[in-house]
Amino acid sequence: MKIIKPSVFSVGAIDWDARLFDRLIPLPDGTSYNAYLIKGSEKTALIDTVDPAKTCVLLSNLDELGIDRIDYVISQHGEQDHSGSLPDVLAKYPTAQVVTNPKCKGLLMDLLGIDDDRFITVEDGQELSLGDKTLRFVYLPWVHWPETMGTYLKEDKILFSCDFFGSHLATSSLFVNDEAVVYESAKRYFAEIMMPFRRQVNANLAKLESIEIEIIAPSHGPAYNRPKFIIDAYKDWASDAVKNEVVLPYVSMHGSTAAMVEYFVDALIKRDIAVRQFELSTVDIGKLAMSLVDAATIVIGSPAVLIGPHPCAAYAAFLANALRPKMKFASIIGSYGWGSKMVEQLTGMMTNLKVDILEPVVIKGFPKEDAFASLDRLADDILAKHKEIGIVN
């Protein structure tokens, strides 16, 4: 439990040991499940709960504050890392009402079995008085579920932003104390969770411009007492601007594709194009996702497996297609033994990407001089395309 401002407390849980989120996303630095308590002169509100595994931490923090009554539990998002301990909170505080939007109400009833009569639904911009403190509800759809909303505490100028602006980072610090560390964690979070919704992110950023914000308190990671830091980062990540970078995820079974990758990376470097190379059988998918945020081009390297791409390469294509980064160009390099439909299959898996497919380099066997010449041609094509869009002088 920590004090954010007078009568405003952080009462959530730090999960130092978490290493995989949703059985999908690596968590190299753990995470937190943030919940906030606001004590008004007349009413008390709890904003969100925590993951079910940390229910005891939340309840202990409330006991430490001597909270014997909660009037409202503001549920900003139905996903269980924020709502999972809601049934336990409602059991402990039987007069509490769940305040949420109609879409989230439906999710909470479906996911947690909460009775209809426990809910109060609110509309976008609606306010709720706690006496000397006023909550305004701000719909923030698709960051990252359709029902997500934030809560603005008017008197203290705090935006409780739910998953928006979050970071998977376990830290004992209430506020950001190392912006470089938090930038890395927040960018990973954006890449894995927010990047598919860049259009909605930009719309919600515009919506927040009319609100005077002194503190952003997200549902994961530390709070921002310099909100411009994370808002500016989101504006950059969600923009259409790309950098003179090539992301090169690859896998090689017998060394042929690896030899092509080694030559190709050197060819790109000689042309002053930044490269981010990832070996796919050992990759941290969070790092790969982060690299996709800014890069202009992706080139997937793969050997043929039964004429198709290696499963690791197929996963890289699937990941890029799901995350829908703003990159402009894509290509494929690789080797096969007796036949290949890698190009057709990999490009067919990236239909969500609004990219130009540059002529791939897929060869039979180990690369020879003609293969290296083709890789030089692809590097030249990438350089020319980067110049066309103005990211290379």
Side-chain angles (χ1 to χ4, degrees):
M1 183 275 294
K2 293 186 176 181
I3 300 173
I4 299 177
K5 281 195 172 186
S7 300
V8 183
F9 306 89
S10 175
V11 294
I14 303 169
D15 196 340
W16 299 95
D17 301 325
R19 288 296 176 266
L20 194 63
F21 194 76
D22 289 345
R23 297 294 185 265
L24 175 66
I25 298 170
L27 297 177
D29 302 306
T31 191
S32 65
Y33 313 109
N34 300 340
Y36 303 96
L37 188 88
I38 303 169
K39 296 177 69 174
S41 59
E42 298 176 7
K43 303 285 187 179
T44 297
L46 175 67
I47 296 181
D48 287 328
T49 63
V50 299
D51 188 88
K54 296 294 181 180
T55 299
C56 60
V57 178
L58 171 62
L59 297 182
S60 175
N61 287 337
L62 295 173
D63 286 341
E64 184 180 343
L65 283 170
I67 304 301
D68 56 11
R69 178 185 174 89
I70 289 177
D71 298 283
Y72 307 115
V73 182
I74 315 301
S75 189
Q76 302 185 119
H77 178 27
E79 197 169 9
Q80 289 92 327
D81 55 318
H82 309 297
S83 68
S85 57
L86 183 55
D88 296 274
V89 170
L90 295 179
K92 183 178 177 67
Y93 301 98
T95 62
Q97 295 289 114
V98 180
V99 179
T100 191
N101 60 70
K103 285 185 179 180
C104 192
K105 173 186 172 180
L107 280 171
L108 294 173
M109 293 176 70
D110 290 340
L111 295 172
L112 301 174
I114 297 172
D115 293 336
D116 180 81
D117 61 4
R118 298 302 297 268
F119 287 94
I120 298 172
T121 57
V122 293
E123 297 301 320
D124 189 20
Q126 188 172 334
E127 296 185 352
L128 179 67
S129 175
L130 306 180
D132 60 345
K133 294 186 182 295
T134 309
L135 304 179
R136 180 194 303 163
F137 302 106
V138 185
Y139 280 18
L140 299 171
W142 292 111
V143 287
H144 62 124
W145 277 21
E147 89 299 357
T148 307
M149 70 179 190
T151 304
Y152 179 63
L153 179 54
K154 291 174 61 175
E155 289 77 11
D156 294 296
K157 299 181 175 63
I158 302 172
L159 176 67
F160 301 95
S161 60
C162 196
D163 279 332
F164 207 24
F165 306 121
S167 59
H168 282 309
L169 180 63
T171 173
S172 58
S173 300
L174 175 61
F175 293 105
V176 172
N177 62 6
D178 188 329
E179 288 187 347
V181 170
V182 174
Y183 184 92
E184 179 88 358
S185 293
K187 187 174 186 180
R188 172 187 284 262
Y189 187 91
F190 175 90
E192 296 170 336
I193 297 173
M194 300 293 171
M195 189 157 57
F197 308 108
R198 286 192 306 116
R199 180 176 62 82
Q200 293 90 343
V201 166
N202 282 314
N204 286 315
L205 286 171
K207 188 174 188 177
L208 295 180
E209 288 179 356
S210 62
I211 301 174
E212 185 179 358
I213 302 171
E214 292 184 0
I215 294 172
I216 292 176
S219 291
H220 296 288
Y224 303 90
N225 51 8
R226 195 175 78 85
K228 186 177 185 297
F229 158 67
I230 192 62
I231 291 173
D232 286 349
Y234 262 63
K235 287 180 178 178
D236 177 32
W237 300 334
S239 74
D240 290 330
V242 293
K243 297 180 180 178
N244 182 33
E245 295 178 359
V246 172
V247 176
L248 183 48
Y250 84 100
V251 62
S252 184
M253 294 192 297
H254 301 295
S256 297
T257 301
M260 296 177 71
V261 167
E262 182 179 1
Y263 184 91
F264 185 57
V265 166
D266 187 56
L268 292 170
I269 292 172
K270 287 177 179 177
R271 290 160 176 78
D272 292 325
I273 300 171
V275 188
R276 297 181 183 272
Q277 176 182 321
F278 297 92
E279 200 287 312
L280 287 168
S281 68
T282 58
V283 70
D284 174 345
I285 63 168
K287 287 284 190 181
L288 175 56
M290 286 172 64
S291 74
L292 299 175
V293 171
D294 301 312
T297 301
I298 184 171
V299 177
I300 298 177
S302 177
V305 178
L306 299 175
I307 78 168
H310 190 287
C312 289
Y315 180 72
F318 173 85
L319 181 69
N321 192 62
L323 295 180
R324 289 181 283 177
K326 56 190 174 183
M327 61 182 47
K328 310 300 183 185
F329 312 104
S331 193
I332 298 157
I333 64 174
S335 171
Y336 64 93
W338 45 265
S340 171
K341 291 189 176 180
M342 289 193 300
V343 171
E344 299 93 324
Q345 292 184 16
L346 286 173
T347 55
M349 296 176 66
M350 296 189 290
T351 54
N352 282 343
L353 302 183
K354 307 303 181 184
V355 294
D356 292 338
I357 302 295
L358 307 182
E359 184 180 348
V361 180
V362 177
I363 64 162
K364 186 174 182 179
F366 196 84
K368 302 177 180 63
E369 289 304 315
D370 58 343
F372 295 136
S374 294
L375 290 170
D376 279 321
R377 184 266 309 156
L378 179 56
D380 286 336
D381 288 350
I382 291 171
L383 179 61
K385 291 295 184 180
H386 286 197
K387 286 181 177 179
E388 282 181 15
I389 63 173
I391 57 175
V392 177
N393 295 328

PDB file of all heavy atoms in Angstrom, residues 13 18 23 58 67 88 103 154 170 179 196 208 213 218 253 255 281 320 380 392:
ATOM      1  N   ALA A  13      -0.956  -5.353  -6.319  1.00  0.00           N
ATOM      2  CA  ALA A  13       0.033  -6.377  -5.992  1.00  0.00           C
ATOM      3  C   ALA A  13       1.159  -6.379  -7.012  1.00  0.00           C
ATOM      4  O   ALA A  13       0.927  -6.222  -8.213  1.00  0.00           O
ATOM      5  CB  ALA A  13      -0.633  -7.754  -5.949  1.00  0.00           C
ATOM      6  N   ALA A  18       6.493 -13.558 -11.882  1.00  0.00           N
ATOM      7  CA  ALA A  18       5.783 -13.885 -13.122  1.00  0.00           C
ATOM      8  C   ALA A  18       6.749 -13.828 -14.298  1.00  0.00           C
ATOM      9  O   ALA A  18       7.520 -12.876 -14.443  1.00  0.00           O
ATOM     10  CB  ALA A  18       4.636 -12.906 -13.339  1.00  0.00           C
ATOM     11  N   ARG A  23      -0.007 -17.207 -20.619  1.00  0.00           N
ATOM     12  CA  ARG A  23       0.660 -18.357 -21.222  1.00  0.00           C
ATOM     13  C   ARG A  23       1.158 -18.034 -22.630  1.00  0.00           C
ATOM     14  O   ARG A  23       1.282 -18.897 -23.486  1.00  0.00           O
ATOM     15  CB  ARG A  23      -0.284 -19.568 -21.284  1.00  0.00           C
ATOM     16  CG  ARG A  23      -0.718 -20.071 -19.914  1.00  0.00           C
ATOM     17  CD  ARG A  23       0.484 -20.643 -19.153  1.00  0.00           C
ATOM     18  NE  ARG A  23       0.079 -21.244 -17.892  1.00  0.00           N
ATOM     19  CZ  ARG A  23       0.093 -20.631 -16.714  1.00  0.00           C
ATOM     20  NH1 ARG A  23       0.461 -19.362 -16.649  1.00  0.00           N
ATOM     21  NH2 ARG A  23      -0.256 -21.250 -15.619  1.00  0.00           N
ATOM     22  N   LEU A  58      -4.272  -7.885  -2.155  1.00  0.00           N
ATOM     23  CA  LEU A  58      -5.229  -6.781  -2.233  1.00  0.00           C
ATOM     24  C   LEU A  58      -6.037  -6.665  -0.948  1.00  0.00           C
ATOM     25  O   LEU A  58      -6.158  -5.573  -0.368  1.00  0.00           O
ATOM     26  CB  LEU A  58      -6.161  -6.985  -3.429  1.00  0.00           C
ATOM     27  CG  LEU A  58      -7.355  -6.041  -3.539  1.00  0.00           C
ATOM     28  CD1 LEU A  58      -6.904  -4.596  -3.707  1.00  0.00           C
ATOM     29  CD2 LEU A  58      -8.272  -6.456  -4.694  1.00  0.00           C
ATOM     30  N   ILE A  67     -10.094  -0.328   5.928  1.00  0.00           N
ATOM     31  CA  ILE A  67     -11.288  -0.116   5.099  1.00  0.00           C
ATOM     32  C   ILE A  67     -12.368  -1.123   5.496  1.00  0.00           C
ATOM     33  O   ILE A  67     -12.227  -2.326   5.255  1.00  0.00           O
ATOM     34  CB  ILE A  67     -10.949  -0.258   3.602  1.00  0.00           C
ATOM     35  CG1 ILE A  67      -9.825   0.703   3.202  1.00  0.00           C
ATOM     36  CG2 ILE A  67     -12.188  -0.036   2.749  1.00  0.00           C
ATOM     37  CD1 ILE A  67     -10.131   2.155   3.449  1.00  0.00           C
ATOM     38  N   ASP A  88     -14.285 -11.913  -4.679  1.00  0.00           N
ATOM     39  CA  ASP A  88     -13.828 -11.919  -3.282  1.00  0.00           C
ATOM     40  C   ASP A  88     -14.015 -10.554  -2.637  1.00  0.00           C
ATOM     41  O   ASP A  88     -14.386 -10.457  -1.458  1.00  0.00           O
ATOM     42  CB  ASP A  88     -12.354 -12.322  -3.222  1.00  0.00           C
ATOM     43  CG  ASP A  88     -12.132 -13.734  -3.708  1.00  0.00           C
ATOM     44  OD1 ASP A  88     -12.253 -14.669  -2.905  1.00  0.00           O
ATOM     45  OD2 ASP A  88     -11.851 -13.919  -4.909  1.00  0.00           O
ATOM     46  N   LYS A 103     -20.775  -2.775 -21.820  1.00  0.00           N
ATOM     47  CA  LYS A 103     -20.035  -3.890 -22.429  1.00  0.00           C
ATOM     48  C   LYS A 103     -19.249  -4.655 -21.388  1.00  0.00           C
ATOM     49  O   LYS A 103     -19.204  -5.900 -21.400  1.00  0.00           O
ATOM     50  CB  LYS A 103     -19.103  -3.369 -23.518  1.00  0.00           C
ATOM     51  CG  LYS A 103     -19.794  -2.971 -24.801  1.00  0.00           C
ATOM     52  CD  LYS A 103     -18.776  -2.592 -25.870  1.00  0.00           C
ATOM     53  CE  LYS A 103     -19.469  -2.223 -27.174  1.00  0.00           C
ATOM     54  NZ  LYS A 103     -18.493  -1.849 -28.227  1.00  0.00           N
ATOM     55  N   LYS A 154     -11.006  14.196 -10.836  1.00  0.00           N
ATOM     56  CA  LYS A 154     -10.947  15.593 -11.246  1.00  0.00           C
ATOM     57  C   LYS A 154     -10.128  16.459 -10.298  1.00  0.00           C
ATOM     58  O   LYS A 154      -9.269  17.244 -10.730  1.00  0.00           O
ATOM     59  CB  LYS A 154     -12.369  16.154 -11.362  1.00  0.00           C
ATOM     60  CG  LYS A 154     -13.167  15.585 -12.522  1.00  0.00           C
ATOM     61  CD  LYS A 154     -14.617  16.068 -12.507  1.00  0.00           C
ATOM     62  CE  LYS A 154     -14.721  17.573 -12.631  1.00  0.00           C
ATOM     63  NZ  LYS A 154     -16.151  18.002 -12.727  1.00  0.00           N
ATOM     64  N   ALA A 170       7.846  -5.296 -12.654  1.00  0.00           N
ATOM     65  CA  ALA A 170       7.745  -5.399 -11.196  1.00  0.00           C
ATOM     66  C   ALA A 170       8.757  -4.450 -10.577  1.00  0.00           C
ATOM     67  O   ALA A 170       9.958  -4.555 -10.837  1.00  0.00           O
ATOM     68  CB  ALA A 170       8.015  -6.835 -10.753  1.00  0.00           C
ATOM     69  N   GLU A 179      13.414   6.493 -16.377  1.00  0.00           N
ATOM     70  CA  GLU A 179      12.611   6.537 -17.594  1.00  0.00           C
ATOM     71  C   GLU A 179      13.149   5.610 -18.678  1.00  0.00           C
ATOM     72  O   GLU A 179      12.386   5.074 -19.475  1.00  0.00           O
ATOM     73  CB  GLU A 179      12.512   7.977 -18.117  1.00  0.00           C
ATOM     74  CG  GLU A 179      11.626   8.859 -17.244  1.00  0.00           C
ATOM     75  CD  GLU A 179      11.381  10.233 -17.829  1.00  0.00           C
ATOM     76  OE1 GLU A 179      12.099  10.602 -18.803  1.00  0.00           O
ATOM     77  OE2 GLU A 179      10.480  10.947 -17.332  1.00  0.00           O
ATOM     78  N   PRO A 196      -1.601  -3.689 -32.515  1.00  0.00           N
ATOM     79  CA  PRO A 196      -2.660  -3.970 -33.496  1.00  0.00           C
ATOM     80  C   PRO A 196      -3.750  -2.901 -33.553  1.00  0.00           C
ATOM     81  O   PRO A 196      -4.540  -2.879 -34.502  1.00  0.00           O
ATOM     82  CB  PRO A 196      -3.244  -5.303 -32.999  1.00  0.00           C
ATOM     83  CG  PRO A 196      -2.189  -5.903 -32.153  1.00  0.00           C
ATOM     84  CD  PRO A 196      -1.491  -4.749 -31.508  1.00  0.00           C
ATOM     85  N   LEU A 208      -7.737  12.427 -24.974  1.00  0.00           N
ATOM     86  CA  LEU A 208      -7.163  12.826 -23.690  1.00  0.00           C
ATOM     87  C   LEU A 208      -6.577  14.234 -23.713  1.00  0.00           C
ATOM     88  O   LEU A 208      -6.264  14.785 -22.655  1.00  0.00           O
ATOM     89  CB  LEU A 208      -6.074  11.832 -23.275  1.00  0.00           C
ATOM     90  CG  LEU A 208      -6.539  10.405 -22.988  1.00  0.00           C
ATOM     91  CD1 LEU A 208      -5.354   9.536 -22.588  1.00  0.00           C
ATOM     92  CD2 LEU A 208      -7.607  10.371 -21.895  1.00  0.00           C
ATOM     93  N   ILE A 213      -3.911  16.461 -17.029  1.00  0.00           N
ATOM     94  CA  ILE A 213      -3.437  15.263 -16.321  1.00  0.00           C
ATOM     95  C   ILE A 213      -2.101  15.562 -15.653  1.00  0.00           C
ATOM     96  O   ILE A 213      -1.144  15.967 -16.302  1.00  0.00           O
ATOM     97  CB  ILE A 213      -3.274  14.079 -17.306  1.00  0.00           C
ATOM     98  CG1 ILE A 213      -4.595  13.779 -18.018  1.00  0.00           C
ATOM     99  CG2 ILE A 213      -2.756  12.845 -16.576  1.00  0.00           C
ATOM    100  CD1 ILE A 213      -4.454  12.786 -19.158  1.00  0.00           C
ATOM    101  N   PRO A 218      -1.517   3.636 -14.422  1.00  0.00           N
ATOM    102  CA  PRO A 218      -1.995   2.512 -15.234  1.00  0.00           C
ATOM    103  C   PRO A 218      -2.253   1.266 -14.390  1.00  0.00           C
ATOM    104  O   PRO A 218      -1.984   1.254 -13.182  1.00  0.00           O
ATOM    105  CB  PRO A 218      -0.848   2.292 -16.215  1.00  0.00           C
ATOM    106  CG  PRO A 218       0.371   2.671 -15.424  1.00  0.00           C
ATOM    107  CD  PRO A 218      -0.063   3.796 -14.503  1.00  0.00           C
ATOM    108  N   MET A 253      18.313 -24.870 -40.495  1.00  0.00           N
ATOM    109  CA  MET A 253      18.467 -26.248 -40.005  1.00  0.00           C
ATOM    110  C   MET A 253      19.865 -26.811 -40.267  1.00  0.00           C
ATOM    111  O   MET A 253      20.448 -27.464 -39.416  1.00  0.00           O
ATOM    112  CB  MET A 253      17.409 -27.147 -40.650  1.00  0.00           C
ATOM    113  CG  MET A 253      15.988 -26.803 -40.243  1.00  0.00           C
ATOM    114  SD  MET A 253      14.781 -28.074 -40.728  1.00  0.00           S
ATOM    115  CE  MET A 253      14.925 -28.034 -42.507  1.00  0.00           C
ATOM    116  N   GLY A 255      22.468 -24.866 -42.039  1.00  0.00           N
ATOM    117  CA  GLY A 255      23.477 -23.856 -42.286  1.00  0.00           C
ATOM    118  C   GLY A 255      23.322 -23.055 -43.560  1.00  0.00           C
ATOM    119  O   GLY A 255      23.949 -21.993 -43.700  1.00  0.00           O
ATOM    120  N   SER A 281      14.527 -20.006 -33.154  1.00  0.00           N
ATOM    121  CA  SER A 281      14.331 -21.141 -32.245  1.00  0.00           C
ATOM    122  C   SER A 281      14.602 -20.771 -30.799  1.00  0.00           C
ATOM    123  O   SER A 281      14.218 -21.498 -29.884  1.00  0.00           O
ATOM    124  CB  SER A 281      15.212 -22.326 -32.661  1.00  0.00           C
ATOM    125  OG  SER A 281      16.580 -22.031 -32.460  1.00  0.00           O
ATOM    126  N   ALA A 320       3.827 -11.235 -36.856  1.00  0.00           N
ATOM    127  CA  ALA A 320       3.819  -9.929 -37.526  1.00  0.00           C
ATOM    128  C   ALA A 320       2.420  -9.614 -38.063  1.00  0.00           C
ATOM    129  O   ALA A 320       1.941  -8.479 -37.947  1.00  0.00           O
ATOM    130  CB  ALA A 320       4.850  -9.907 -38.648  1.00  0.00           C
ATOM    131  N   ASP A 380      19.901  -3.728 -52.261  1.00  0.00           N
ATOM    132  CA  ASP A 380      19.765  -2.497 -53.056  1.00  0.00           C
ATOM    133  C   ASP A 380      18.290  -2.097 -53.182  1.00  0.00           C
ATOM    134  O   ASP A 380      17.954  -0.909 -53.109  1.00  0.00           O
ATOM    135  CB  ASP A 380      20.368  -2.707 -54.455  1.00  0.00           C
ATOM    136  CG  ASP A 380      21.894  -2.726 -54.459  1.00  0.00           C
ATOM    137  OD1 ASP A 380      22.489  -2.150 -53.528  1.00  0.00           O
ATOM    138  OD2 ASP A 380      22.459  -3.323 -55.393  1.00  0.00           O
ATOM    139  N   VAL A 392      15.977   7.660 -45.787  1.00  0.00           N
ATOM    140  CA  VAL A 392      17.402   7.642 -46.108  1.00  0.00           C
ATOM    141  C   VAL A 392      17.679   8.835 -46.996  1.00  0.00           C
ATOM    142  O   VAL A 392      16.912   9.110 -47.933  1.00  0.00           O
ATOM    143  CB  VAL A 392      17.810   6.334 -46.839  1.00  0.00           C
ATOM    144  CG1 VAL A 392      19.296   6.404 -47.226  1.00  0.00           C
ATOM    145  CG2 VAL A 392      17.559   5.123 -45.975  1.00  0.00           C
TER     146      VAL A 392
END
